[in-house]
């Protein structure tokens, strides 16, 4: 279908009705009766699954006097008000709506969509009546409070215990929280009463190569290191750079819970790969954002403490700042970090405070952490959705990595999936862009020399053109790895996952995550498994614009993808990360082949954030959630049957007019095993190792690429120059 006709039809069809919904200022009063602590409502789905793990030892209650600073309570609107709010947020990207791009600020959000003042007062009185201190209230209906364990347990009628989880010390509530029935229309529940935090999504080191199983993890001539110049060639940034669109005047925020180990690593990275010389306006700054204009209390330093250097997480920070700068090399790269509190994740604190600062927040953010929907809890998931709602209301584009454990994000860094299909709660809301991961397919196709020069340029890049892509997948359950190893199937006693080489080198869940939202709300009956009353977020309307998106009624991940591999097919990212304690190595000048190597969808989120910064520069405006236009453009390209001209497997033979490359070869399936005597989304006809499947009794791999949208790669990877040029309102000099 002609792109212009398609866009016009979509605007005509979707630019009216619910998308133009208006919400009246201040919702109606909901608390109409006095609080009776004898009449309680249980908030289910909020016990962390680690409480039930076999290797968890319950060490008994925490001390009554243990102090918990800055705990968060999530409030709520009525279901009707929440639907109206989501429709309003969606209308901000609808060009036919009077709300189009009418982004505002936190104060206006609170005025339009906050709770009645009398309801907030009643909640405040309830908390303070139990001796808790209410510090302040965030506009996305989050109450920040502090108190002792005794006060918190009495308030929420729960029990918090110390735990030993696989040798690690934690604490968590071991019973579901309860709230007074009188407050049930306003109070959802504590965001978290435990200290299990999201984890990084970077895979340091090089995986065994299918070209050379059992290597000594030393980079050799059979590997192609991906550097900034390769990124610019493969995804066609260079015409934009030549036209002066390289991030000038733009700021990309990386949300972190740590500072950089050494800011000099960023400078070394840019200097070595020519970014400093070619794009001298690029700069780096670190901030510890504080909220302003809040109500109900003073702001202590703990509201955003300086986290210092958190070993391991500082490697994630290095990935984020370096590769955001590789994508938008003349932009300001802002690392926004806050220390974790007892129950809160530092990156979320940074996000909250940026959104409530006096100045408008920078318009593009990236987050490269993960936590499964089924582990994050009903209240925790509601909090993330409310946070990204506020971000979009203020015109912020949020990019979040989907995860690094193929279709089961619960089992990252494990040797097998045991919890079934699950997605990253930080990325699964309808208000962020979820970024998945690919690998390059030239090795599988036997075409390395077609796409990589035998010699590097002065900036160490060697890519020759766009390169065929496949999903990033290191597992023996990958159909492509099975073929390369010479096995007819991935499953069964004769399949790759039960072979000697498969067991030795490829029992891993490492790969780009994707799948349907399944447990955004509700309570799983099996800890950590999408079961029981679990339900996913409703499908955003824009996902229906693209051929291939399933009619499953729920939000699907990812939206877009980017190269994320860590070496299994001979390709991985290089970065300057010198913290030896976290796996880093010295960054010797002029020898990047000896630098740290890594992969993960955590690279994709900051790279895509950089792309959005280029879009914002070309359009001269912040865009909020850009998914509406991503999907419109992809839908026009793929039409009713997909685009044979933009099939990624064609590599350099794809059309020069492609906006997205449709990845159609490979899968993000992974090997799986029994958990507590049962199989969850695991097909295992014979042998010790099965493969992740939507059926336990048949081979229905989760998931295989298809034409158009698919779970391994979403709508695909970008031709950046074409995407920016075709984005509505863009002007390219």
């Amino acid at each position: 279908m002609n792109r212009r006709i398609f866009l016009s039809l979509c605007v005509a069809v979707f630019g009216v009705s619910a998308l133009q919904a208006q919400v009246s200022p201040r919702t109606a009063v909901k608390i109409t009766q006095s609080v009776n602590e004898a009449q309680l409502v249980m908030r289910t789905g909020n016990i962390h699954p680690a409480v039930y793990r076999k290797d968890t030892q319950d060490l008994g209650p925490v001390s009554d006097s243990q102090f918990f600073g800055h705990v968060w309570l999530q409030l709520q609107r009525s279901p009707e008000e929440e639907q109206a709010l989501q429709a309003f947020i969606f209308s901000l990207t609808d060009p036919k709506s009077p709300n189009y791009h009418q982004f505002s600020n936190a104060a206006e959000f609170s005025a339009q969509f906050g709770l009645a003042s009398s309801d907030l007062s009643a909640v405040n009185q309830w908390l303070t009546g139990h001796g808790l201190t209410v510090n302040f209230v965030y506009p996305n209906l989050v109450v920040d409070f502090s108190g002792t364990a005794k006060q918190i347990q009495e308030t929420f009628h729960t029990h918090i215990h110390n735990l030993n989880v696989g040798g690690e010390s934690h604490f968590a509530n071991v019973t579901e929280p309860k709230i007074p029935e009188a407050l049930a229309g306003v109070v959802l529940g504590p965001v978290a009463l435990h200290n299990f935090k999201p984890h990084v999504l970077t895979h340091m080191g090089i995986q065994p190569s299918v070209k050379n199983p059992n290597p000594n993890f030393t980079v050799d001539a059979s590997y192609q290191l991906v550097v900034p110049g390769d990124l610019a060639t493969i995804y066609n940034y260079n015409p934009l750079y030549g036209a002066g669109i390289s991030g000038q005047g733009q700021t990309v925020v990386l949300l972190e819970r740590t500072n950089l180990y050494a800011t000099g690593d960023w400078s070394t990275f840019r200097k070595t790969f020519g970014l400093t010389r070619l794009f001298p306006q690029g700069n780096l700054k670190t901030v510890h954002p504080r909220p302003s204009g809040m109500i109900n209390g003073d702001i202590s330093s703990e509201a955003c403490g300086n986290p210092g250097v958190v070993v391991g997480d500082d490697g994630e920070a290095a990935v984020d700042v370096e590769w955001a700068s590789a994508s938008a090399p003349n932009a300001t790269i802002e690392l926004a970090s806050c220390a974790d509190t007892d129950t809160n994740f530092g990156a979320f604190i940074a996000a909250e405070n940026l959104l409530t600062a006096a100045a408008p927040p920078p318009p593009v953010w990236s987050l490269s952490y993960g936590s499964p929907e089924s582990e994050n809890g009903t209240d925790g998931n509601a909090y993330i959705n409310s946070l990204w709602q506020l971000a979009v209301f203020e015109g912020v584009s949020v990019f979040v990595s989907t995860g690094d454990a193929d279709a089961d994000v619960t089992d990252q860094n494990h040797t097998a999936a045991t919890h079934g299909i699950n997605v990253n709660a930080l990325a699964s809301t309808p208000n962020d862009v979820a970024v998945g991961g690919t690998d390059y397919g030239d090795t599988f196709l036997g075409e390395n020399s077609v796409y990589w020069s035998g010699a590097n340029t002065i900036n160490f890049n060697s890519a020759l053109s766009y390169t065929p892509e496949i999903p990033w997948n290191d597992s023996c359950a990958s159909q492509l790895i099975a073929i390369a190893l010479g096995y007819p199937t991935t499953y069964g006693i004769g399949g790759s996952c039960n072979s000697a080489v498969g067991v030795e080198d490829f029992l891993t869940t490492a790969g780009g995550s994707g799948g349907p939202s399944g447990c955004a709300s509700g309570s799983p009956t099996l800890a950590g498994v999408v079961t029981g009353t679990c339900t996913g977020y409703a499908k955003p309307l824009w996902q229906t614009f693209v051929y291939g998106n399933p009619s499953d009624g729920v939000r699907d991940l990812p939206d877009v993808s980017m190269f994320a591999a860590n070496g299994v097919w001979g390709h991985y990212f290089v970065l300057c990360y010198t913290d030896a304690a976290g796996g880093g190595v010295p960054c010797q000048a002029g020898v990047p082949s000896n630098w740290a190597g890594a992969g993960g969808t955590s690279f994709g989120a900051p790279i895509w954030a950089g792309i959005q910064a280029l879009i914002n520069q070309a359009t001269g405006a912040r865009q909020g959630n850009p998914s509406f236009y991503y999907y419109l453009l992809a839908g026009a390209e793929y039409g009713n049957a997909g685009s044979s001209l933009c099939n990624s497997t064609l590599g350099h033979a794809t059309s020069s007019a492609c906006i997205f490359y449709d990845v159609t070869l490979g899968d993000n399936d992974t090997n799986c095993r029994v958990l507590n005597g049962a199989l969850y989304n695991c097909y295992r006809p014979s042998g010790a190792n099965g493969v992740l499947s939507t059926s336990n009794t048949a081979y229905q791999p989760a998931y295989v690429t298809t034409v158009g949208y698919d779970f391994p790669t979403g709508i695909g990877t970008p031709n950046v120059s074409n995407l920016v040029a075709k984005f509505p309102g863009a002007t390219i000099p």
Side-chain angles (χ1 to χ4, degrees), residues 435-450:
V435 183
T438 66
D439 200 340
Y440 294 129
D442 55 303
T443 301
F444 176 79
L445 298 170
E447 299 175 344
N448 284 143
S449 62
V450 176

Side-chain angles (χ1 to χ4, degrees), residues 28 108 268 331 519 646:
E108 183 62 25
T268 299
C519 205
C646 297

Side-chain angles (χ1 to χ4, degrees), residues 251-579:
T251 298
V252 178
V253 170
L254 295 317
L255 299 170
E256 310 289 349
R257 64 191 292 187
T258 179
N259 295 340
L260 291 168
Y261 174 73
T263 56
D265 288 353
W266 182 82
S267 299
T268 299
F269 179 89
R270 281 180 52 88
K271 182 177 180 180
T272 299
F273 298 120
L275 301 179
T276 302
R277 174 174 52 85
L278 297 171
F279 307 100
Q281 295 181 46
N283 65 94
L284 171 68
K285 66 178 181 179
T286 298
V287 299
H288 309 300
R290 304 285 302 280
S292 64
M294 307 310 297
I295 61 173
N296 292 344
D298 296 328
I299 300 168
S300 74
S301 61
E302 292 181 67
C304 182
N306 185 334
V309 174
V310 180
V311 176
D313 289 68
D314 61 342
E316 177 63 64
V319 167
D320 292 346
V321 299
E322 290 174 12
W323 283 92
S325 190
S327 184
N330 263 327
T332 293
I333 305 301
E334 181 176 298
L335 187 150
S337 65
C338 294
D340 289 346
T341 63
D342 297 307
T343 61
N344 289 337
F345 177 43
F348 286 159
I349 298 172
E352 287 279 14
N353 293 350
L354 285 171
L355 291 171
T356 52
V364 183
W365 295 2
S366 170
L367 179 63
S368 296
Y369 281 76
S371 178
E373 281 186 336
S374 64
E375 287 190 1
N376 209 53
T378 297
D379 297 348
N381 291 334
Y383 164 73
I384 295 170
N385 185 48
S386 75
L387 180 64
W388 299 154
Q389 282 179 331
L390 178 57
V392 175
F393 183 85
E394 297 189 39
V396 177
S397 305
V398 181
F399 294 81
V400 187
S401 305
T402 58
D404 294 1
D406 287 313
D408 178 13
V409 298
T410 310
D411 293 301
Q412 180 174 327
N413 299 323
H414 291 187
T415 57
T418 57
H419 290 79
I421 298 166
N422 218 328
V423 297
N424 181 9
L426 281 62
S428 64
T429 85
N431 301 300
D432 63 89
V433 180
V435 183
T438 66
D439 200 340
Y440 294 129
D442 55 303
T443 301
F444 176 79
L445 298 170
E447 299 175 344
N448 284 143
S449 62
V450 176
Y451 294 101
W452 302 89
S453 172
N456 290 330
T457 70
I458 189 175
N459 296 321
F460 298 99
N461 50 296
S462 59
L464 299 173
S465 70
Y466 176 69
T467 304
E469 292 181 87
I470 57 179
W472 168 41
N473 190 351
D474 293 354
S475 170
C476 58
S478 161
Q479 296 174 357
L480 303 186
I481 287 180
I483 292 171
L485 297 178
Y487 292 92
T489 64
T490 58
Y491 55 86
I493 197 66
S496 56
C497 285
N498 291 292
S499 68
V501 65
V503 171
E504 178 69 20
D505 292 325
F506 297 100
L507 286 184
T508 176
T509 59
S513 296
S517 174
C519 205
S521 61
S523 178
T525 53
L526 300 168
V529 179
V530 178
T531 52
T533 59
C534 281
T535 56
Y537 290 107
K539 185 182 293 295
L541 188 58
W542 31 262
Q543 287 206 300
T544 65
F545 297 172
V546 176
Y547 174 80
N549 189 260
S551 300
D552 53 8
V554 296
R555 165 83 162 109
D556 296 316
L557 281 71
D559 295 307
V560 294
S561 287
M562 178 55 63
F563 173 75
N566 59 335
V568 72
W569 289 101
H571 310 294
Y572 64 92
F573 282 108
V574 64
L575 70 150
C576 183
Y577 171 52
T578 57
D579 186 358

